[in-house]
Amino acid sequence: MKKAFLPFALTTMLMFNACSSDDSLEQFLDITGTWNSKSFIANEPLFDANGDGVNSLELLDELPCRYSKFVLNEDLTFYQENNSWDYNESSNTYECSTGNAISKVIGTWTVNSEFSLLSLTIDGNTAFLEIDFDGETLKFDSSEVFINKNADGILKNIYGMVVFKKDND
């Protein structure tokens, strides 16, 4: 009886492991692709860049032209493209950069088995980002400055969370 049970137990364990690996591979493939920024949520109210009288936490409310594109390829390379902003002191306004002012970064990436930590390596330097990933949305705290003035107009680097949605086109 013990001899008959052993092959059954091994087969069952292998089946569960195979399902687990398939789920992990499926989730891995879900995180690959093109991700477009949908939200930049600051950690404190931003300067009223659009002049509507509201100091929003959402950068896109203040600078709707701001974007970031993030591409995670199956070969574990990545590409990120961002525009930024320019502050005009004489007019006290912000404008988004275009054309040659777009910054581009390439490197390699990995993700842990829980899909909670994304590692990005650029020119030999690795950054670790805690992520929230649900298949259609990818969120992480950004090390990039959203804007350099707080709601009171005081020069200060404001950071926050970037929310990307998967481009399914």
Side-chain angles (χ1 to χ4, degrees):
M1 181 75 161
K2 287 182 184 178
K3 288 182 181 180
F5 178 74
L6 186 58
F8 174 75
L10 287 174
T11 302
T12 303
M13 286 187 337
L14 287 173
M15 283 176 36
F16 281 118
N17 283 338
C19 290
S20 173
S21 296
D22 289 345
D23 291 345
S24 187
L25 177 61
E26 185 176 309
Q27 193 170 10
F28 173 80
L29 292 175
D30 279 350
I31 203 169
T32 62
T34 300
W35 297 87
N36 293 304
S37 57
K38 296 298 177 194
S39 182
F40 297 86
I41 303 166
N43 56 6
E44 65 177 272
L46 300 167
F47 179 73
D48 184 18
N50 65 1
D52 67 356
V54 177
N55 299 96
S56 177
L57 288 174
E58 174 57 68
L59 178 64
L60 295 179
D61 289 346
E62 301 300 337
L63 289 171
C65 57
R66 181 72 167 90
Y67 81 93
S68 180
K69 180 169 105 173
F70 192 47
V71 180
L72 296 172
N73 298 305
E74 288 181 27
D75 68 357
L76 301 180
T77 60
F78 81 90
Y79 167 83
Q80 186 172 15
E81 176 180 296
N82 298 298
N83 69 345
S84 60
W85 42 261
D86 295 312
Y87 176 68
N88 183 329
E89 286 188 38
S90 62
S91 64
N92 198 31
T93 59
Y94 286 89
E95 296 175 359
C96 286
S97 59
T98 59
N100 293 335
I102 304 298
S103 65
K104 299 173 184 175
V105 178
I106 58 171
T108 59
W109 68 276
T110 59
V111 66
N112 67 349
S113 60
E114 292 84 30
F115 289 82
S116 61
L117 188 65
L118 180 66
S119 304
L120 301 176
T121 302
I122 305 160
D123 296 329
N125 298 307
T126 303
F128 299 95
L129 303 170
E130 288 185 32
I131 61 171
D132 183 4
F133 170 67
D134 68 8
E136 291 298 316
T137 305
L138 177 62
K139 301 176 187 176
F140 55 83
D141 288 337
S142 177
S143 61
E144 182 183 355
V145 175
F146 285 178
I147 206 162
N148 68 346
K149 273 190 175 182
N150 68 9
D152 298 322
I154 298 170
L155 287 177
K156 180 178 181 182
N157 291 334
I158 309 292
Y159 301 91
M161 179 188 304
V162 180
V163 179
F164 291 92
K165 291 282 186 180
K166 193 161 196 178
D167 183 356
N168 292 318
D169 291 337

